[in-house]
Every structure is written in structure tokens, then in C-alpha cells.
Amino acid sequence: MKTSETPASLIMIFGATGDLAKRKLFPSLYNLYQKGKLSENFAVIGTARREWSHETFQSHVYDSIKSAGGENEGIDQFASHFYYQAHDVTDSDSYLGLKKLADQLDKKYELEGNRIFYLSMAPEFFGTIASHLKTDGLTDTKGYKRLIIEKPFGHNYPSAKELNDQLRHSFSEEEIYRIDHYLGKAMVQNIQVIRFANALFEPLWNNRYISNIQITSSEVLGVEERGGYYEKSGALRDMVQNHMIQMAALLAMEPPINLSTEEVRSEKGRALKSLRPVEGDEVEKNFVRGQYGKGTIDGKELPGYREEANVDPASNTETFVAGKLLFDNFRWAGVPFYIRTGKRMSSKDTKIVVQFKDIPMNLYYKAKNELAPNLLVIHIQPDEGITLHLNAKRIGQEMETTPVKLNFSNKGLHGMNTPEAYEKLMYDCMKGDATNFTHWDEVSLSWKFIDNISAVWETKKADDYPNYASGTMGPKASDELLEKDGFFWWPVTSLDVKDY
Ligand SMILES: NC(=O)C1=CN([C@@H]2O[C@H](COP(=O)(O)OP(=O)(O)OC[C@H]3O[C@@H](n4cnc5c(N)ncnc54)[C@H](OP(=O)(O)O)[C@@H]3O)[C@@H](O)[C@H]2O)C=CC1
Ligand SMILES: O=C1O[C@H](COP(=O)(O)O)[C@@H](O)[C@H](O)[C@H]1O
């Protein structure tokens, strides 16, 4: 039974035979179905060039859910809502076939003309598809029309603007849902709640009490089979322009006046407006780039980036970035936000460490105690939770201090895995909630910031690549970036919240 919480929708997936659809989109839709968040009033049209029948597509969907660990329950019933239409997105004539099928399913499943177009394809096709959707009448229905756009949204500011202008001919800003899957992660969404729902933190969330913030997203995987894409992207465009800057914006933004999409995104945008541009000679002082060489992880010998498939043996592409962001506003003046991300590092971890300033004097110095700084650690993945590092009295006669930790684990609270980011984001889109999608203003500001850095890196070849071994936390210069400010990277490698 459809309700406002389970809206009727036709979801048209472009690139339905691809990797993202198989690994993320189908299992996420299935989870929503299992949880009762999809009514029976839904249908999916998958489209790509290969000539598949509806049945082949349904069995592909079935397999994808099984490989994602889905139970048998209801998969057949769920998959029966899936339809397939072979279609080359560059072929103008074949959009009419898609429209015909969409109109039929609209009637059959009582979809009220609600349509979500999910572009899970190479970005060069985004503009063409969006134009055809309008000119060939696929958006000409009485229900809602929403366009989900996968990353990358452009390669730099000019190409992102060109793409956006093209999309805007067919869809309004409110109808465009730009995916940043980090915004669908439970603990990234928790940043706002931790900040704005706790009397404990918000009064301290500024340059009077915080000395620095560190955001790390490290990966063990290398470039895998995506060498062709990654060579043109690098870590700066692949991870920093979107995920890292989005997390920084959530940490830096002012409290919105309410939680509406408009207010939240406008505060994030305002934070990004205060991000100090890093240009020219400042790039080398504030940003570090790295490229992985050979190394060993879990006893396995791994090749360097330049030995990977579809990678230039003399490649100048960075697989690691560390940088210092400064927000020039009253709240954050003088507080560095350090970011670091890279492939083939020693662990897969995304963590935010908020380091508070030391208290004005240490009463316990006579006991030769060095007080540890208070830290708030937000564990984004693989573990999800928060740790607060405090100082307390060591048990015994002496007045000695010892560091203690207060832990909260998301897993412990809910006793189950939190929903996959794509699941949350697809559900938000069905309900028309674009809060956790990026507004064009945010995308354009972050590209302008990134373009200044890539302009320097692309003209000046790195002469020390490869400069970190696979299985390490990046080049030495990344540590030096913090050392020169009197800080160091807090360790982020952990298996469980309890251990850190
Ligand atoms: N895979 C991932 O983990 C992630 C992917 N993304 C983004 O998601 C998008 C899709 O990625 P991914 O699934 O990995 O890509 P794939 O290369 O696996 O899939 C591409 C899809 O596009 C179809 N296709 C290619 N050319 C045409 C055409 N001319 N007309 C119609 N269909 C066509 C292919 O099918 P066919 O050959 O049958 O036509 C296939 O279904 C990209 O924008 C990517 O950047 C973002 C984050 C993670
Ligand atoms: O967008 C991307 O993100 C992944 C990392 O995502 P995560 O959820 O596993 O942390 C990264 O591997 C990929 O290169 C990038 O395109």
C-alpha cells in the first residue's frame, strides 16, 4: 500500500548492466523492499546496450542480491517488478521505446507518473540523456521527476558548469539529486546530530576550544580495474573534491535555523564560501601529493601504481592527498582542518578526530603526568561510533591521571548493520528529500577550490613518485605537514571502537 512514506515510483536505471547497479543499487532497493519502504507500487526499468530480455535482467537482479548476502525471502516477487529495454543512449530514436514501456508500467503499477531517472553511467553521457528525457517526453508526466546523477560531476569547474547548464535545460535544481555516497553514511549524517543535539559539544565547537580537526579516509585497495578513469582523476578529484570537502563542510557549518534541505545545504555552502583558497606557492606549503609504490599488505606483495593496468608507467597521477584547510570565519579562524586520503594505505578507515585545546594549566604536573588532549573521535567506517578521550584519576593512592575513553558504538545500539549509504539515499530521493545530496553551489565552490590545486600539480610534475610504499600511511611529507604546526596525525587504524 503506497503512502507518503512508501511513495509509488518508476525507477529507470541507465547503466543497469554495470558494476554499480549490480553491487549497490539492486541490493539497496531490495533492502528497502524487505523493510517495507517500497510499496508494491514500484517498477524498475533497466537499460543498457546489451540485448537482454526481462527474464535475463530479473535473474541478474536475483544474483546480485544473493551475492550481496540477501535472504531468499521475497526476491522473486521483488525481481518481478524489474523490466529491461536495450537502448544506446546516443541513439535518439530508442528513447521512444523507453517512453512506451514507462507509460505501460505507470498504468500497470499505478505509479502516478512519478519517475526517478538514475544515471549510473559514464559521465560523458549525463547531459545527452537528460536532454532526451525531456525532448522525447519521458519527463512529461503529472507526477514528480527526479534525476540522480552519479559522480564525477565534472572534471573541474568549467566542465561541471557546462554539465549543470545542460541538465538545467531539462530539470530544475530541486529535481537534480547529485550523489555523494558519503552523505548517505550513517556516521556522516551523525555529525550534525552530535554537534547540534548536545549541549556538551556545540559551545566548544570553535577556535577557542578546538586546536585542530583531522579527517582521514584511507583505503587498502589500489586502483583495481579503474586505471583508465583514475589516471584522469587522481585522489584530489576522486575523493577530496567531494567526500572530504563535504565532511569538512558538515564539521565547519553554522547551525542551520531548521533541518530543511534548503537551510542545511545553504549553511554548508556558506562554510565552503569561507574556505581559504590555496593557490600558487601556497599549494606546496598546504598540500601534499603521493603515489603508491610496491609494498606488502597482509603478507601479499603488491605492485606500485605505475605497474597497474591502464596506468602510464611514468604517471604523474596522485593516489594520496593530505592537505590543510582553513575556514576564514569567526568560528574557525586559525583552526586547521587536516584531511588525508589515499589508496593502498595500511588500513581501510574513515575517521574524524577533533582535538581540543589543552586546559590552561596542569595541576597534576608534580606527579609527572602529561595530560592527554581531549579528543572526540567520530568513527565513520568500518566501525561506526564515537569515542571521547578524557583524563581521569588512576586507581590507587597517588593523585595520578590516566587517559580514559567513553565509547558509543552504533552497532551496539541497534544490534544490526546500519543501512547501506545507497539504500538511504535512494529512499530519500523517493521521498523527495535532497538534504543529503549536493547542491550546485556546493559543487561549484568545491571545484573552484580544487582547480587551484590541480592547476599547480598539473604544471609541475612530482619528481619523487612513487613516494610511499603500499601498506603505509602515505609519504613522509604528510606527517611533516602537521609537524610544522606542532601536531601529528592521530592513529586511525582500529578494528573496533573499543580499541581506540
Ligand atoms: N562502480 C562503483 O563502485 C562506482 C561507480 N560510480 C559511478 O557510477 C557510474 C557507473 O559506474 P559503473 O557501474 O562502475 O560502470 P560500468 O562500466 O560497470 O557500467 C557502465 C554501464 O553503462 C552501460 N553503457 C555504456 N555505454 C552505453 C551506451 N552508449 N548506451 C547505453 N548504455 C551504455 C553499460 O552497459 P552496456 O555495455 O550493456 O551498454 C553498463 O551498464 C559512473 O559514473 C561511475 O563513476 C561511482 C561510485 C562508485
Ligand atoms: O567515490 C569513491 O569512493 C570510494 C571509497 O568509498 P568508501 O565508501 O569505500 O569509503 C573510492 O574507492 C573510489 O575511488 C571513489 O571513486
Side-chain angles (χ1 to χ4, degrees):
M1 182 62 182
K2 59 183 181 258
T3 66
S4 58
E5 289 304 294
T6 57
S9 312
L10 173 71
I11 303 165
M12 197 176 281
I13 301 179
F14 290 83
T17 59
D19 175 68
L20 184 74
K22 182 172 183 206
R23 284 191 310 107
K24 302 286 183 188
L25 307 188
F26 306 145
S28 297
L29 285 170
Y30 173 68
N31 289 346
L32 290 174
Y33 184 72
Q34 282 293 88
K35 291 175 184 169
K37 291 185 169 173
L38 267 187
S39 68
E40 291 295 334
N41 302 89
F42 87 95
V44 176
I45 299 179
T47 172
R49 285 168 306 182
R50 65 199 75 170
E51 296 289 341
W52 278 3
S53 63
H54 298 318
E55 291 71 29
T56 312
F57 185 47
Q58 287 169 4
S59 90
H60 176 74
V61 169
Y62 186 98
D63 292 346
S64 94
I65 292 161
K66 291 302 287 177
S67 14
E71 304 295 326
N72 279 331
E73 209 182 317
I75 306 186
D76 284 329
Q77 174 65 14
F78 169 75
S80 72
H81 290 251
F82 283 66
Y83 297 80
Y84 185 82
Q85 173 94 26
H87 161 79
D88 186 326
V89 295
T90 57
D91 171 10
S92 303
D93 295 337
S94 60
Y95 285 86
L96 295 175
L98 274 182
K99 177 173 159 44
K100 201 168 148 207
L101 179 58
D103 291 344
Q104 278 166 9
L105 296 178
D106 197 32
K107 282 205 188 78
K108 177 169 176 181
Y109 290 95
E110 298 173 23
L111 303 176
E112 300 167 354
N114 292 335
R115 290 189 181 170
I116 293 176
F117 304 98
Y118 196 124
L119 309 194
S120 176
M121 298 212 26
E124 63 261 33
F125 298 121
F126 294 165
T128 312
I129 302 171
S131 303
H132 276 291
L133 291 176
K134 185 172 167 87
T135 52
D136 293 324
L138 282 107
T139 55
D140 195 9
T141 66
K142 63 177 168 40
Y144 65 66
K145 276 78 62 180
R146 295 176 188 145
L147 184 73
I148 304 188
I149 295 278
E150 261 304 333
K151 62 167 291 202
F153 197 94
H155 179 74
N156 49 23
Y157 173 70
S159 60
K161 170 140 183 18
E162 193 184 329
L163 170 60
N164 200 56
D165 290 346
Q166 212 172 355
L167 300 180
R168 289 297 307 276
H169 287 307
S170 310
F171 292 86
S172 67
E173 173 61 33
E174 291 65 42
E175 291 171 333
I176 302 174
Y177 287 66
R178 298 175 194 82
I179 286 248
D180 182 316
H181 78 279
Y182 267 56
L183 296 183
K185 291 186 191 280
M187 288 305 296
V188 172
Q189 296 189 352
N190 217 335
I191 294 172
Q192 286 183 71
V193 184
I194 293 165
R195 286 190 55 192
F196 304 135
N198 289 297
L200 196 62
F201 294 125
E202 195 45 33
L204 307 184
W205 210 260
N206 56 53
N207 53 9
R208 264 171 293 153
Y209 300 102
I210 290 179
S211 75
N212 73 93
I213 295 185
Q214 304 178 8
I215 311 172
T216 299
S217 189
S218 59
E219 293 189 78
V220 173
L221 288 181
V223 71
E224 309 301 296
E225 64 291 340
R226 293 168 75 216
Y229 151 77
Y230 202 82
E231 273 288 89
K232 290 189 230 110
S233 159
L236 189 66
R237 292 188 172 96
D238 187 48
M239 290 291 291
V240 179
Q241 180 272 332
N242 38 53
H243 314 317
M244 304 304 283
I245 288 192
Q246 280 294 322
M247 287 191 280
L250 285 166
L251 291 159
M253 69 192 260
E254 291 300 313
I257 55 168
N258 59 45
L259 292 178
S260 67
T261 301
E262 198 181 35
E263 294 302 333
V264 171
R265 299 203 298 188
S266 129
E267 287 303 341
K268 274 162 65 196
R270 268 161 48 81
L272 294 178
K273 276 187 199 149
S274 67
L275 190 52
R276 185 185 298 178
V278 179
E279 10 186 17
D281 294 346
E282 291 298 306
V283 171
E284 209 163 319
K285 289 187 204 142
N286 292 288
F287 272 77
V288 171
R289 54 181 161 165
Q291 189 190 77
Y292 64 82
K294 294 187 185 49
T296 311
I297 303 182
D298 288 338
K300 205 171 151 203
E301 297 273 321
L302 295 162
Y305 177 70
R306 290 177 176 184
E307 284 91 57
E308 303 275 20
N310 302 319
V311 169
D312 177 352
S315 175
N316 191 41
T317 300
E318 77 287 348
T319 60
F320 173 96
V321 175
K324 174 170 155 181
L325 311 180
L326 290 167
F327 290 92
D328 284 332
N329 57 32
F330 259 57
R331 185 184 285 264
W332 293 117
V335 179
F337 284 56
Y338 299 106
I339 54 167
R340 95 184 134 157
T341 183
K343 295 208 180 276
R344 282 274 192 260
M345 294 171 68
S346 52
S347 69
K348 169 77 182 165
D349 274 289
T350 304
K351 302 269 186 293
I352 295 166
V353 181
V354 179
Q355 179 176 345
F356 290 88
K357 287 187 172 165
D358 292 340
I359 47 169
M361 72 171 280
N362 178 0
L363 282 173
Y364 303 98
Y365 69 97
K366 284 196 179 133
K368 296 203 190 77
N369 281 163
E370 272 201 23
L371 294 180
N374 292 144
L375 304 178
L376 170 68
V377 183
I378 305 176
H379 305 248
I380 310 280
Q381 61 183 14
D383 49 316
E384 295 182 351
I386 310 165
T387 311
L388 190 57
H389 292 231
L390 304 169
N391 293 297
K393 183 184 174 304
R394 188 188 292 279
I395 292 173
Q397 295 295 325
E398 307 300 322
M399 188 49 96
E400 281 181 16
T401 63
T402 186
V404 294
K405 294 169 209 163
L406 303 183
N407 291 317
F408 154 70
S409 162
N410 236 3
K411 230 186 229 162
L413 184 72
H414 303 292
M416 55 183 281
N417 281 336
T418 48
E420 171 52 77
Y422 278 93
E423 182 185 326
K424 285 170 83 60
L425 294 175
M426 285 174 86
Y427 185 54
D428 282 354
C429 178
M430 280 176 217
K431 289 193 304 168
D433 181 354
T435 316
N436 292 310
F437 293 81
T438 45
H439 190 279
W440 165 244
D441 292 348
E442 299 168 63
V443 174
S444 59
L445 287 162
S446 57
W447 270 127
K448 284 178 187 165
F449 178 81
I450 292 299
D451 285 355
N452 286 326
I453 300 164
S454 38
V456 172
W457 284 357
E458 275 160 21
T459 43
K460 197 165 169 237
K461 209 167 154 49
D463 49 18
D464 61 346
Y465 281 176
N467 59 358
Y468 71 100
S470 287
T472 65
M473 284 307 275
K476 202 163 158 278
S478 157
D479 296 330
E480 290 164 357
L481 178 73
L482 274 70
E483 277 161 20
K484 66 187 183 204
D485 292 342
F487 302 123
F488 57 87
W489 289 108
W490 289 96
V492 293
T493 307
S494 60
L495 294 173
D496 189 6
V497 180
K498 287 194 294 301
D499 301 329
Y500 177 49

